[in-house]
Amino acid sequence: YRAAQAAAATPRAPAPAPAPAPAALPPGALDEHGAKDLVARFGVPVAARRLCTSREEAHSAFDALGAPVVAKIATSEILHKTEAGGVHLNLRSHAELDAALDALQAIPLRGARSYLLEAMATPAVDLIVGGVRDPSWGPCVMVGLGGVLAEALGDTAIGHLPLTRPDVDRMLDSLRGRALLDGFRHLPRCDRTSIANALQGIAALMEAHPEVQEVEVNPLRVYADGALALDALIVVAEAP
Protein backbone atom coordinates (compact mmCIF):
# COMPACT_ATOMS: atom_id res chain seq x y z
CA TYR A 1 0.00 0.00 0.00
CA ARG A 2 2.81 2.43 0.94
CA ALA A 3 4.62 1.55 -2.29
CA ALA A 4 1.47 2.29 -4.27
CA GLN A 5 1.05 5.62 -2.44
CA ALA A 6 4.65 6.54 -3.15
CA ALA A 7 4.27 5.63 -6.82
CA ALA A 8 1.11 7.72 -7.05
CA ALA A 9 2.90 10.69 -5.48
CA THR A 10 5.87 10.45 -7.86
CA PRO A 11 5.61 13.11 -10.57
CA ARG A 12 5.14 11.59 -14.00
CA ALA A 13 6.73 12.86 -17.15
CA PRO A 14 4.20 14.56 -19.40
CA ALA A 15 2.96 12.49 -22.33
CA PRO A 16 4.83 13.26 -25.54
CA ALA A 17 3.08 15.70 -27.83
CA PRO A 18 1.59 14.11 -30.93
CA ALA A 19 3.72 14.37 -34.04
CA PRO A 20 2.70 17.31 -36.21
CA ALA A 21 0.81 16.46 -39.37
CA PRO A 22 2.97 16.69 -42.50
CA ALA A 23 2.63 19.88 -44.48
CA ALA A 24 0.09 19.67 -47.28
CA LEU A 25 1.54 19.32 -50.77
CA PRO A 26 0.81 21.91 -53.45
CA PRO A 27 -1.87 20.90 -56.00
CA GLY A 28 -0.87 19.41 -59.33
CA ALA A 29 1.75 16.85 -60.30
CA LEU A 30 5.15 16.61 -58.65
CA ASP A 31 8.15 16.22 -60.90
CA GLU A 32 9.97 12.88 -60.71
CA HIS A 33 12.64 14.15 -58.34
CA GLY A 34 10.06 15.49 -55.89
CA ALA A 35 7.94 12.35 -56.19
CA LYS A 36 10.93 10.14 -55.46
CA ASP A 37 11.87 12.26 -52.45
CA LEU A 38 8.37 11.73 -51.07
CA VAL A 39 8.07 7.98 -51.66
CA ALA A 40 11.57 7.51 -50.22
CA ARG A 41 10.43 9.18 -46.98
CA PHE A 42 7.84 6.41 -46.72
CA GLY A 43 10.33 3.60 -47.21
CA VAL A 44 10.30 3.04 -50.97
CA PRO A 45 13.95 2.66 -52.11
CA VAL A 46 15.08 4.84 -55.01
CA ALA A 47 18.18 4.78 -57.20
CA ALA A 48 21.07 7.19 -56.67
CA ARG A 49 20.36 10.38 -58.60
CA ARG A 50 21.27 14.06 -59.02
CA LEU A 51 19.01 16.95 -60.07
CA CYS A 52 20.87 19.29 -62.44
CA THR A 53 20.00 22.72 -63.81
CA SER A 54 22.90 23.06 -66.27
CA ARG A 55 25.15 21.02 -68.51
CA GLU A 56 28.05 21.60 -66.14
CA GLU A 57 26.08 20.14 -63.24
CA ALA A 58 24.99 17.21 -65.43
CA HIS A 59 28.58 16.35 -66.35
CA SER A 60 29.64 16.59 -62.69
CA ALA A 61 26.74 14.29 -61.78
CA PHE A 62 27.82 11.85 -64.50
CA ASP A 63 31.27 11.63 -62.92
CA ALA A 64 29.86 11.30 -59.39
CA LEU A 65 27.33 8.59 -60.27
CA GLY A 66 29.60 6.63 -62.59
CA ALA A 67 28.65 5.23 -65.99
CA PRO A 68 26.24 4.03 -67.18
CA VAL A 69 23.61 6.60 -66.30
CA VAL A 70 20.09 7.58 -67.32
CA ALA A 71 19.32 11.20 -68.25
CA LYS A 72 15.74 12.46 -67.99
CA ILE A 73 13.86 15.69 -68.35
CA ALA A 74 12.79 16.81 -64.86
CA THR A 75 9.49 18.66 -65.04
CA SER A 76 5.93 18.33 -63.79
CA GLU A 77 4.69 19.44 -67.23
CA ILE A 78 5.35 16.01 -68.76
CA LEU A 79 3.91 13.04 -66.87
CA HIS A 80 4.94 10.36 -69.39
CA LYS A 81 8.50 11.24 -70.29
CA THR A 82 9.36 8.26 -72.48
CA GLU A 83 6.70 9.12 -75.07
CA ALA A 84 7.99 12.71 -75.18
CA GLY A 85 11.59 11.65 -75.77
CA GLY A 86 12.49 12.67 -72.24
CA VAL A 87 14.41 9.53 -71.19
CA HIS A 88 17.86 8.50 -72.46
CA LEU A 89 19.28 5.21 -71.18
CA ASN A 90 22.68 3.60 -70.81
CA LEU A 91 24.84 6.68 -71.30
CA ARG A 92 28.49 5.66 -71.00
CA SER A 93 30.48 8.75 -71.99
CA HIS A 94 30.38 12.52 -71.76
CA ALA A 95 29.79 12.65 -75.53
CA GLU A 96 26.70 10.44 -75.18
CA LEU A 97 25.52 12.61 -72.29
CA ASP A 98 25.90 15.76 -74.42
CA ALA A 99 23.82 14.19 -77.20
CA ALA A 100 21.13 13.28 -74.67
CA LEU A 101 21.15 16.79 -73.21
CA ASP A 102 20.77 18.23 -76.73
CA ALA A 103 17.64 16.11 -77.20
CA LEU A 104 16.25 17.06 -73.78
CA GLN A 105 16.94 20.72 -74.47
CA ALA A 106 14.78 20.50 -77.61
CA ILE A 107 11.67 19.42 -75.69
CA PRO A 108 9.36 22.45 -75.45
CA LEU A 109 8.54 23.53 -71.88
CA ARG A 110 6.74 26.51 -70.41
CA GLY A 111 8.71 26.59 -67.16
CA ALA A 112 12.25 26.04 -65.94
CA ARG A 113 14.26 23.18 -67.37
CA SER A 114 16.13 20.67 -65.21
CA TYR A 115 17.74 17.31 -65.85
CA LEU A 116 17.65 14.24 -63.65
CA LEU A 117 20.69 11.97 -63.84
CA GLU A 118 20.33 8.56 -62.28
CA ALA A 119 22.49 5.48 -61.91
CA MET A 120 21.49 2.84 -64.46
CA ALA A 121 19.86 -0.10 -62.69
CA THR A 122 20.73 -3.68 -63.60
CA PRO A 123 17.94 -5.78 -65.19
CA ALA A 124 15.44 -7.67 -63.04
CA VAL A 125 11.64 -8.01 -62.78
CA ASP A 126 9.64 -4.82 -63.29
CA LEU A 127 6.40 -4.23 -61.41
CA ILE A 128 4.02 -1.30 -61.17
CA VAL A 129 2.89 -0.31 -57.67
CA GLY A 130 0.73 2.62 -56.76
CA GLY A 131 -2.26 4.08 -55.01
CA VAL A 132 -5.39 6.00 -55.88
CA ARG A 133 -8.11 7.70 -53.88
CA ASP A 134 -11.36 6.20 -55.13
CA PRO A 135 -14.53 8.26 -54.44
CA SER A 136 -16.40 5.14 -53.31
CA TRP A 137 -13.74 2.92 -51.76
CA GLY A 138 -11.35 5.54 -50.44
CA PRO A 139 -7.58 5.03 -50.72
CA CYS A 140 -6.58 1.82 -52.52
CA VAL A 141 -3.25 0.38 -53.60
CA MET A 142 -2.38 -1.70 -56.64
CA VAL A 143 0.39 -3.94 -57.92
CA GLY A 144 0.94 -5.53 -61.31
CA LEU A 145 3.42 -6.37 -64.00
CA GLY A 146 5.19 -3.14 -64.81
CA GLY A 147 7.47 -1.41 -67.24
CA VAL A 148 6.27 -1.65 -70.84
CA LEU A 149 3.96 -4.54 -69.85
CA ALA A 150 1.80 -2.42 -67.52
CA GLU A 151 -0.56 -1.06 -70.18
CA ALA A 152 -0.14 -3.94 -72.63
CA LEU A 153 -1.26 -6.67 -70.22
CA GLY A 154 -3.27 -4.84 -67.57
CA ASP A 155 -2.35 -7.57 -65.08
CA THR A 156 -2.99 -5.85 -61.74
CA ALA A 157 -4.45 -6.52 -58.30
CA ILE A 158 -6.11 -4.05 -55.94
CA GLY A 159 -5.89 -3.86 -52.15
CA HIS A 160 -7.71 -1.72 -49.61
CA LEU A 161 -6.31 0.02 -46.56
CA PRO A 162 -5.22 -0.91 -43.96
CA LEU A 163 -2.88 -3.21 -45.88
CA THR A 164 -1.27 -6.25 -44.23
CA ARG A 165 1.46 -8.57 -45.46
CA PRO A 166 -1.07 -11.41 -46.08
CA ASP A 167 -3.06 -8.92 -48.18
CA VAL A 168 0.04 -8.26 -50.29
CA ASP A 169 0.71 -11.98 -50.74
CA ARG A 170 -2.87 -12.52 -51.90
CA MET A 171 -2.54 -9.66 -54.37
CA LEU A 172 0.70 -11.06 -55.80
CA ASP A 173 -0.66 -14.60 -56.01
CA SER A 174 -3.69 -13.35 -57.95
CA LEU A 175 -1.57 -11.96 -60.82
CA ARG A 176 -1.72 -13.95 -64.04
CA GLY A 177 2.00 -13.40 -64.48
CA ARG A 178 2.94 -14.40 -60.92
CA ALA A 179 5.40 -17.00 -62.29
CA LEU A 180 7.70 -14.08 -63.13
CA LEU A 181 8.01 -13.43 -59.38
CA ASP A 182 9.18 -16.96 -58.61
CA GLY A 183 12.36 -17.26 -60.65
CA PHE A 184 10.92 -17.84 -64.11
CA ARG A 185 13.70 -19.00 -66.45
CA HIS A 186 16.71 -16.68 -66.02
CA LEU A 187 14.92 -14.15 -63.80
CA PRO A 188 15.65 -13.87 -60.06
CA ARG A 189 13.13 -14.99 -57.46
CA CYS A 190 11.64 -11.67 -56.40
CA ASP A 191 11.99 -10.34 -52.88
CA ARG A 192 8.34 -10.28 -51.79
CA THR A 193 9.21 -8.47 -48.57
CA SER A 194 10.55 -5.53 -50.57
CA ILE A 195 7.38 -5.48 -52.67
CA ALA A 196 5.27 -5.52 -49.50
CA ASN A 197 7.34 -2.73 -47.97
CA ALA A 198 6.87 -0.58 -51.07
CA LEU A 199 3.11 -1.14 -51.12
CA GLN A 200 2.75 -0.47 -47.41
CA GLY A 201 4.89 2.65 -47.79
CA ILE A 202 2.56 3.93 -50.50
CA ALA A 203 -0.43 3.12 -48.29
CA ALA A 204 1.17 5.10 -45.44
CA LEU A 205 1.83 8.02 -47.81
CA MET A 206 -1.83 8.05 -48.87
CA GLU A 207 -2.94 8.05 -45.23
CA ALA A 208 -0.51 10.81 -44.21
CA HIS A 209 -1.35 13.01 -47.22
CA PRO A 210 -5.11 13.00 -47.85
CA GLU A 211 -4.54 15.59 -50.58
CA VAL A 212 -2.67 13.01 -52.70
CA GLN A 213 -4.96 11.68 -55.40
CA GLU A 214 -2.61 9.27 -57.16
CA VAL A 215 0.77 7.62 -56.66
CA GLU A 216 2.47 5.50 -59.30
CA VAL A 217 5.87 3.83 -59.24
CA ASN A 218 6.56 2.27 -62.63
CA PRO A 219 8.73 0.43 -62.73
CA LEU A 220 9.55 -0.87 -59.30
CA ARG A 221 12.50 -3.05 -60.24
CA VAL A 222 12.56 -6.07 -57.95
CA TYR A 223 15.64 -8.17 -57.25
CA ALA A 224 16.27 -11.30 -55.23
CA ASP A 225 17.23 -8.98 -52.37
CA GLY A 226 15.67 -5.54 -52.56
CA ALA A 227 13.89 -3.28 -55.01
CA LEU A 228 14.31 0.17 -56.57
CA ALA A 229 11.76 2.72 -57.75
CA LEU A 230 13.01 3.77 -61.19
CA ASP A 231 10.22 6.25 -61.90
CA ALA A 232 7.57 7.88 -59.74
CA LEU A 233 4.50 10.02 -60.29
CA ILE A 234 2.41 11.79 -57.65
CA VAL A 235 -0.69 13.84 -58.40
CA VAL A 236 -2.14 16.13 -55.72
CA ALA A 237 -5.80 17.11 -55.90
CA GLU A 238 -6.82 20.71 -56.37
CA ALA A 239 -8.20 22.36 -53.24
CA PRO A 240 -12.01 22.20 -53.15
Side-chain angles (χ1 to χ4, degrees), residues 17-202:
L25 301 168
L30 304 186
D31 64 29
E32 181 182 343
H33 185 63
K36 283 183 172 174
D37 274 348
L38 187 56
V39 297
R41 290 205 292 271
F42 287 86
V44 181
V46 297
R49 68 194 192 285
R50 298 286 179 88
L51 184 66
C52 309
T53 58
S54 67
R55 282 180 180 262
E56 292 75 14
E57 289 181 2
H59 282 282
S60 295
F62 178 91
D63 290 332
L65 293 168
V69 303
V70 182
K72 308 178 186 181
I73 194 74
T75 175
S76 60
E77 296 179 32
I78 301 174
L79 301 186
H80 300 287
K81 296 180 292 296
T82 300
E83 292 85 343
V87 179
H88 294 261
L89 303 173
N90 206 32
L91 305 177
R92 295 182 174 275
S93 68
H94 285 280
E96 290 180 353
L97 175 59
D98 267 327
L101 295 175
D102 287 341
L104 297 178
Q105 183 69 33
I107 297 174
L109 295 177
R110 297 186 302 273
R113 186 179 304 271
S114 297
Y115 312 105
L116 189 64
L117 262 68
E118 189 167 82
M120 187 84 184
T122 56
V125 177
D126 286 345
L127 298 183
I128 179 172
V129 297
V132 66
R133 204 169 298 279
D134 185 86
S136 300
W137 294 98
C140 306
V141 294
M142 61 83 70
V143 62
L145 298 184
V148 297
L149 299 177
E151 292 185 15
L153 298 182
D155 187 8
T156 59
I158 305 296
H160 303 287
L161 276 56
L163 189 73
T164 66
R165 174 58 192 271
D167 293 332
V168 174
D169 284 331
R170 282 191 291 271
M171 292 166 67
L172 295 176
D173 289 339
S174 74
L175 297 176
R176 298 191 303 277
R178 62 186 176 276
L180 295 174
L181 306 178
D182 298 326
F184 183 75
R185 294 194 176 181
H186 64 285
L187 295 172
R189 179 176 290 274
C190 290
D191 181 356
R192 285 193 172 213
T193 297
S194 291
I195 301 170
N197 289 343
L199 278 168
Q200 289 175 315
I202 290 171

Side-chain angles (χ1 to χ4, degrees), residues 1-8:
Y1 175 76
R2 291 192 182 94
Q5 278 189 320

